[in-house]
Amino acid sequence: MPPERRLAAFLREAKRRKVVRTALMYGGVSLALATAAEYIFPALLFPEDAFRFFIVLLILGFPIALVLAWSFDITAEGVVRAEAGAEPVESRPATAVATGAAHAGPPDAVPPPVRHAPRPEPATRVPAEATEEAAEPAAPPDPERVRKASLANLRQELLAPIDAIAGYSEMLLEDARRAELDEAAEILGKMHRAGGELRGMASSFLDPDGMLATASDDPAAISSHIRHELRNPVNALIGYAELLKEDGCVQGDLHHLEPDLDRLLAAAHRVNGLITRIAAFPVEDPHAVSANAEIEASVEVARDVLAKIRPRDGDRTPTQHGTLLIVDDNATNRDLISRRLAREGFTVATAESGADALRIVGERAIDLVLLDVLMPEMDGVEVLKRLKAEPRTAAIPVIMLSALDEIDSAIGCVDMGAEDFLPKSFDPVLLRVRIDACLELRRLRDRDREYARSLDQERALTEHLLASLCPKPFAERVLAGESDIVQHVPDATVVVGRFRGVRHGGADRDARATVDRMRELLGRLEAIARAHGVHILRADGAGFAAAVGLEGDGETAAQAGAAFALAALAETERFAGELDGGIGLRVGAHTGPITAGLLQTGRLAFDVWGEGISTARAIAAAAPEGAIHVSPKLYAALRVTHGLDTVGEVELEDVGQMRLFALRERDG
């Protein structure tokens, strides 16, 4: 390699490895550090040699920085060794960066508590013969298949501009009628009909089993005949179009139609050019070299494609199995289809009418229905409607079989819920492929439904666990994606209850019995809290703490808290009566500020603190069994609506002296 090319390659590689940028950055930083050291070192009373030594270190660090820049790259994954000609980090596909960023986050971040089942990977259908075919060398395709494929390709190329002629002539005809141009509309009508005739002749002549395909006696004469027959309508179309353009330009009536006329003319000339290729088509031997390069290229493409596709045989292994229902009023059709499918491993049921089909689907599990459209009494369309209207059978795939060989029928059935539509008589191998595809699609849908069901179950479980951990407003925020949640409530009504006789049961009461009793009692209190709009903050064998007013509205919160306290005490006494005693409850209530928090510290932890709950706990500790004591602040909110008796000044732990009141139902 010449020296100048080596130098250019070296400079390109240095630029790719960002060596030049590193050198400039190092020089700038070194200059700034040297300038700062010139003033800082004397101020710190460093000796003069220290500054020189510092400058020497900066100079020695320059080649080291260049070597490091040449040898290593800094990427999102860390420091990696640079490779010659490797792709720069900035030019990597965005999807690769996005994939890593999707899981990025601070190292101490804790994921939200909602966990989802791993979504199943999409299934990839790999035919059983795929690995065998990959190992086998591609055999040359059958000349007959090449001939038919080449004719089909030629026909498709010819039909594309012919369809364009039909489309433009139809639009021009509509525009002329709308503009009341009667003479032009008459000519355009003739053009539209000529386009339809042209399409019919092209489809017939170039069909893989048509006139050109079967030309063996005198292929040259037949090719000439086909060209003559096709050119007549094409030349007529071109003549009509040019006549309309000349008249329109003279009279000015058709000026707005001229762009579409030009497009129609271009399509007609394209058809004329394709007709000349028909003469060059090698009818008898598709391997013969054609005088026309386009024809030769078309044949070569068909040959290459067919070499990659194995011809179908009768030993194709079905990829799906299941129970099929064949619905047809013709006994012969039912027998033939059912026996073919049974030989391929399917379980087959038959029905001779729509009513029988609905009865069978209601009695047994059916994986797919082959449904005839034209049947007496109840036709296939009515059966399809009823199947799709019933939730239990709506997911069953249906393939419609019909003698109605028209696109409207197929579209109508698919719109009503059919998976596929096959005209009679169909190819048995094609039917089997369609059945496999429908069963595979149903399997994937069933798996998606199962996945969605598992997500719903996990979400319900998560909601239940969160409901047992924290009040509903906090649980809803966690499910919405929030992590650390802290809420300050200035005027919350807090109700604290303490049980007696739970931890110190008799000797005949084992731990299991105690747990069962407390589960039942706490369940009853939870139901009472929900009925009064009260949130249980925590509940266990020692007691419970509840709050109301987390959403605001302190006056209503006081009323709801008092109602809950009275109902909780009454329910506990009723429960104790069912057990012949052994459990008691004392309650303290207060209105004051609290702060509630749901924090993630490796696990979710909910806690409440503040003057409101500490005072309520102290009041509950000082209250006698079977009583509800409230603070003066709560007394002020309840004195009009509830019965309250003065208890007097009571010394409360960690609170001090407080005048308390006993809450009861209001007299009368």
Side-chain angles (χ1 to χ4, degrees), residues 190-407:
K190 294 178 181 179
M191 294 174 63
H192 186 59
R193 288 190 293 273
E197 294 173 2
L198 179 63
R199 194 187 199 287
M201 285 190 293
S203 299
S204 175
F205 292 158
L206 298 181
D207 187 89
D209 295 316
M211 182 182 295
L212 184 60
T214 57
S216 58
D217 297 336
D218 190 355
I222 293 180
S223 297
S224 176
H225 171 71
I226 291 175
R227 291 199 309 274
H228 179 267
E229 292 296 323
L230 292 178
R231 278 211 172 103
N232 282 338
V234 174
N235 290 333
L237 283 166
I238 294 175
Y240 283 135
E242 291 177 347
L243 178 62
L244 284 175
K245 284 191 65 176
E246 292 174 3
D247 291 346
C249 292
V250 173
Q251 302 172 7
D253 296 334
L254 304 178
H255 182 72
H256 63 290
L257 304 181
E258 191 170 350
D260 283 345
L261 280 172
D262 289 338
R263 297 184 183 98
L264 189 150
L265 272 172
H269 288 303
R270 170 65 177 162
V271 172
N272 251 341
L274 290 170
I275 290 175
T276 61
R277 291 172 54 182
I278 296 176
F281 186 79
V283 176
E284 295 179 325
D285 182 10
H287 289 287
V289 178
S290 171
N292 189 297
E294 293 183 353
I295 286 290
E296 179 60 26
S298 177
V299 172
E300 189 62 30
V301 168
R303 187 180 295 117
D304 291 343
V305 170
L306 292 178
K308 302 173 185 176
I309 303 175
R310 172 183 291 184
R312 72 185 187 189
D313 51 39
D315 298 327
R316 181 182 180 274
T317 303
T319 60
Q320 303 292 328
H321 296 281
T323 301
L324 311 182
L325 174 61
I326 301 168
V327 187
D328 198 320
D329 61 312
N330 188 300
T332 303
N333 289 345
R334 291 199 309 272
D335 182 62
L336 285 174
I337 298 174
S338 61
R339 291 174 64 179
R340 280 173 178 161
L341 296 177
R343 288 181 180 181
E344 294 169 9
F346 293 105
T347 302
V348 181
T350 60
E352 64 180 357
S353 66
D356 285 345
L358 295 176
R359 176 182 56 79
I360 293 173
V361 170
E363 293 175 353
R364 58 186 296 186
I366 298 296
D367 296 312
L368 183 140
V369 177
L370 294 172
L371 181 58
D372 186 20
V373 174
L374 299 177
M375 294 189 297
E377 297 179 6
M378 185 185 298
D379 57 50
V381 175
E382 181 62 27
V383 175
L384 177 63
K385 288 181 179 178
R386 296 194 184 188
L387 287 175
K388 296 305 177 181
E390 178 66 32
R392 194 180 67 83
T393 60
I396 300 177
V398 178
I399 297 179
M400 306 299 290
L401 308 176
S402 175
L404 299 175
D405 188 7
E406 58 169 351
I407 191 64

Side-chain angles (χ1 to χ4, degrees), residues 81-115:
R81 180 176 293 277
E83 298 180 2
E87 184 182 11
V89 175
E90 290 81 2
S91 64
R92 292 178 183 173
T95 53
V97 180
T99 303
H103 300 282
D108 58 346
V110 182
V114 182
R115 298 191 180 115

